[in-house]
Amino acid sequence: MKRFSKYSMYKKLVPYFAVCLLIAGCGGCGNDHEHNGRIAKGGIYYGGVFRMNWVVNFRSLFPQNVTDVPAWNVTSQVYEGLIKLSPKDLSIGPCLATRWDHNDSNTVWTFHLRKGVKFQDDPCFPDGKGREVTAKDFKWCFDMLCTANAQNGQFEVTFKDRVLGANEYYNLSADKKALPAGGVSGVKAIDDSTVQIRLASPFGGFLNLLTEPGCCVFPKEAFDKYGIEMRIHMVGTGPYMMKEAIEDQSIVLVRNPNYWGVDQYGNQLPYMESVKFSFVHEKKSELLEFQQGNLEMMYQIPTEITKDILGQLNGANAGKVDYSLDVKPAMSTYFFGFQVNDPLFRNKYLRQAFNYAIDRDAIVKSTMQGEGTPGNYGIVPYGAFPGYDYDKVKDYYKFDPNKAKELLEKAGYPNGKGFPEEVTLQTSSDGGQRNVQIAEVVQNMLKENLNISVKINAVPLPQHEDAFLRGKVPFFRELWSADYPDPQTFLNTLYGANVPKDTSAMAYTNSCRYINPKFDSLYTHALLATSDTIRYRLFAEADRVALEDAPYLCIYYEENYYLFHNYVKNFYGNSMDYIDLSKVYIIPANKRVSTNATPAAPGNQ
């Protein structure tokens, strides 16, 4: 699961493809640091540093506890799994497994490992040199993935209910009972280079699960040596290695000289010397750093400075093009969740009244300056999945103040009379004003249309997330980004089996703690379907059931904006905000050519 506060730009600025723009500033200066300028086959350059910023902190870099986008994009440079996504089109391809096959019922999957792959050098190994990865490493990691502990936030979105024996193993570990000697029964190391996974039943999206960070491999030696400190100490097989992590400041990765990957020309990957992630929490400062050439890429632009950006764009004239903008519809949904077991919000009519009282179109048009798509559908982001029946959930809660008032009266609070004064909407304070602005607009709409008052509490993201995941906040801001490119990753947030029995335990996935047997039945039947057509139809029906119950208040669906210098090559933005830097390279300053021509789309060369 991935949660993150994102920032976007004016929707009408560009269509959904790469466009080029000129922004007053440095003009593409910078980044010759650590650049050796060595030319490889295909006209590709080695060297340079890729620098980008996040406005919120990560929670953990331990792959089985990655729950936010910043951590995902850091760890995906260091850790690898059996398969991986393409940053260009999000298709699935080989990684540490070169090939795989399955039986006729799609319940037994066999993966054949790439030989000669080694873990990165690290003091956790006896001689400091990384050893070769075997199927036993995957077996050990997958058993760990099915073990109940405070550092495991990935079980629910990966192996739970899907891999044979996973639930039993997890429950035994939670109850501190003896575990089976052979580990999870559905996972076996057939030999050193073969991993076999048995599913409890067919699941059409199984390969998608294996692209999750929780399914990446890491050495037992590292876990034994660092334990909980693996939240900041990474040891994987990927193109980049951990150099340092300074909390709330920066993470620096360096090139893995022993990486197994090569490109189409036979050049060893990766090309760049290092990658630096900074954590400057102010978007205006981040934009200035980008304009001055101190960042190679900027992700999302805040609404509060959109007019400034538009002014610069309108003043641009023909000449050298310094930056490119890549825009994609995002697989992410921004909503306010209700703790449906809370004494106040267990009232369905109240939740429905809140939904009818909110003008989502006005929020997107005015507050967000046209960015995003109004949340007038279900939990699955509109347009992200061709073939999904969005019409089944369209305009269910079309803005209707009169109906909102009727439902409020039905809920027992006519014209707001008797509504508790202490109700608080909690949001995240990180990364500029967006989250607070939206909360204030919702606050005003509830007051204007229902005559009820709610307070706003804005806290740092880690504190906010910990509170609502533990059920301590009845009304809260949430943003869900796809774990993998499938509607199931959104419907999973409403699946009753993901509600912990312990009311104080972390509800990593179903943060609203919503349970509806009809929804669960449709959802589980969809999981068994091997046809996407049938799966999508059942998912849409489940989506509709949840909408009627209103466990959440959808606000909008996001867009992903990537602003990057034109000397950065082979970088692809996508709908999941998945970043793979293994084939990205940087043209040295003395090799950059000024041109008046319109440059090619991102990822050229």
Side-chain angles (χ1 to χ4, degrees), residues 376-388:
N376 294 325
Y377 299 83
I379 195 71
V380 178
Y382 179 73
F385 303 100
Y388 189 79

Side-chain angles (χ1 to χ4, degrees), residues 34 48-50 77-78 120-121 234 238-244 251-259 269-277:
E34 295 185 27
V49 185
F50 186 93
Q77 316 311 319
V78 177
Q120 298 159 353
D121 293 346
M234 299 183 286
Y240 293 96
M241 309 164 52
M242 168 70 86
K243 181 180 180 180
E244 67 176 13
I251 296 173
V252 178
L253 311 178
V254 295
R255 184 176 186 270
N256 177 6
N258 302 314
Y259 186 54
L269 300 173
Y271 306 123
M272 298 182 294
E273 287 299 316
S274 61
V275 177
K276 181 178 180 180
F277 299 90

Side-chain angles (χ1 to χ4, degrees), residues 1 3 153 156-157 160 335 337-341 379 468-471 476 478 480 483 489-500 502-503 505-516 519-520 523 546 551-552:
M1 69 225 53
R3 298 178 169 90
E156 286 185 0
V157 295
K160 181 181 179 182
F335 63 94
F338 302 107
Q339 293 285 349
V340 296
N341 292 324
I379 195 71
F468 77 75
L469 290 181
R470 293 186 184 279
F476 56 92
E478 169 75 290
W480 190 269
D483 294 293
T489 187
F490 290 92
L491 276 303
N492 194 41
T493 65
L494 301 169
Y495 182 36
N498 291 331
V499 177
D502 183 351
T503 57
M506 300 279 274
Y508 287 105
T509 305
N510 189 338
S511 55
C512 296
R513 300 178 188 249
Y514 169 70
I515 300 176
N516 182 314
F519 175 95
D520 291 349
Y523 176 81
Y552 63 93

Side-chain angles (χ1 to χ4, degrees), residues 359-389:
D359 188 343
R360 297 158 178 82
D361 295 87
I363 292 175
V364 169
K365 181 179 180 180
S366 300
T367 308
M368 300 167 57
Q369 299 294 300
E371 177 271 331
T373 301
N376 294 325
Y377 299 83
I379 195 71
V380 178
Y382 179 73
F385 303 100
Y388 189 79
D389 190 1

Side-chain angles (χ1 to χ4, degrees), residues 33-55:
H33 180 56
E34 295 185 27
H35 210 307
N36 57 37
R38 180 165 66 89
I39 302 179
K41 294 178 182 178
I44 293 168
Y45 291 92
Y46 276 101
V49 185
F50 186 93
R51 299 160 297 180
M52 66 174 292
N53 182 71
W54 290 109
V55 295

Side-chain angles (χ1 to χ4, degrees), residues 284-296:
K284 292 182 181 179
S285 299
E286 180 185 5
L287 178 61
L288 180 62
E289 287 293 294
F290 177 83
Q291 290 174 317
Q292 293 178 343
N294 297 324
L295 296 173
E296 273 54 67

Side-chain angles (χ1 to χ4, degrees), residues 13-30:
L13 180 65
V14 288
Y16 286 129
F17 51 83
V19 298
C20 301
L21 55 136
L22 175 67
I23 296 179
C26 162
C29 62

Side-chain angles (χ1 to χ4, degrees), residues 63-78:
Q64 294 182 357
N65 203 26
V66 169
T67 60
D68 55 78
V69 173
W72 188 42
N73 277 326
V74 173
T75 56
S76 62
Q77 316 311 319
V78 177

